[in-house]
Amino acid sequence: MQVRDDGIYVPPPVFAFRVEIDGAEGETGFQEVSGLQVEFQTEDVAEGGQNRFLHKLPTKTKYANLVLKRGVVTRDSVFGRWVSRALSGGLVRQGGARTVLVKLLNEKRQPLMVWTVFGAYPLRWEHSTLNAMGNDVLIETVELTYQFFHRKLVAQAA
């Protein structure tokens, strides 16, 4: 936790993070990660005898899809092969679901917070538009579905 000299807490910036997929981190550098979101779905239940009350009861949790974006890697990679094989019908044959770690880093590149995403597998692989009139970087977007995630705060050494 970062606290200024006057005692005010300073939230960590979001630009320093690392993604690891089943322990591999060398080829999984991403520029953007989204979808670390969970919410309760609810069911409306009218209270018997009281028409003015409607209760919202939790039924189950719903997790958003994890979306990873990066510049296209132009060399062979374990991540690229996994996504390609999974989306071409080989998910079960090729090792299936993976565990993904998203680590928020401090200024010393040490983890502050870790989201462990369980049972992830690709749903979509998209590449940005090719345009002969532009000079943008080719971006690939990989969308993963997953079972659930767990968030853990990492104790920091002083």
Side-chain angles (χ1 to χ4, degrees):
M1 182 165 94
Q2 209 166 8
V3 180
R4 295 188 326 203
D5 291 337
D6 59 1
I8 302 294
Y9 170 72
V10 180
V14 297
F15 61 81
F17 64 91
R18 180 172 55 229
V19 177
E20 297 177 12
I21 299 177
D22 275 344
E25 62 179 273
E27 61 189 46
T28 53
F30 293 93
Q31 71 183 45
E32 185 178 321
V33 176
S34 63
L36 293 168
Q37 176 183 338
V38 61
E39 63 183 83
F40 266 120
Q41 293 181 323
T42 61
E43 175 182 7
D44 291 343
V45 177
E47 184 172 326
Q50 291 284 342
N51 292 333
R52 61 186 181 149
F53 295 115
L54 184 66
H55 300 280
K56 291 190 175 288
L57 302 178
T59 57
K60 62 182 176 178
T61 53
K62 178 183 177 185
Y63 291 86
N65 291 334
L66 189 65
V67 180
L68 308 172
K69 292 184 179 185
R70 69 177 181 179
V72 168
V73 175
T74 58
R75 60 178 162 72
D76 188 39
S77 73
V78 174
F79 176 74
R81 283 194 310 271
W82 173 62
V83 172
S84 181
R85 288 177 181 161
L87 291 172
S88 65
L91 181 64
V92 176
R93 287 194 319 271
Q94 301 300 333
R98 304 281 170 96
T99 300
V100 177
L101 300 177
V102 179
K103 298 180 178 183
L104 180 65
L105 306 176
N106 65 13
E107 67 281 354
K108 297 176 184 171
R109 308 283 301 163
Q110 299 167 328
L112 288 170
M113 186 178 298
V114 178
W115 291 267
T116 304
V117 178
F118 297 95
Y121 62 89
L123 292 177
R124 183 174 67 94
W125 194 8
E126 177 184 349
H127 295 82
S128 59
T129 303
L130 302 175
N131 181 353
M133 299 303 292
N135 65 350
D136 296 336
V137 172
L138 182 61
I139 301 295
E140 67 180 343
T141 302
V142 178
E143 186 172 343
L144 306 171
T145 188
Y146 58 93
Q147 294 172 335
F148 66 98
F149 69 81
H150 173 72
R151 187 183 87 162
K152 178 183 176 186
L153 300 174
V154 179
Q156 295 295 304

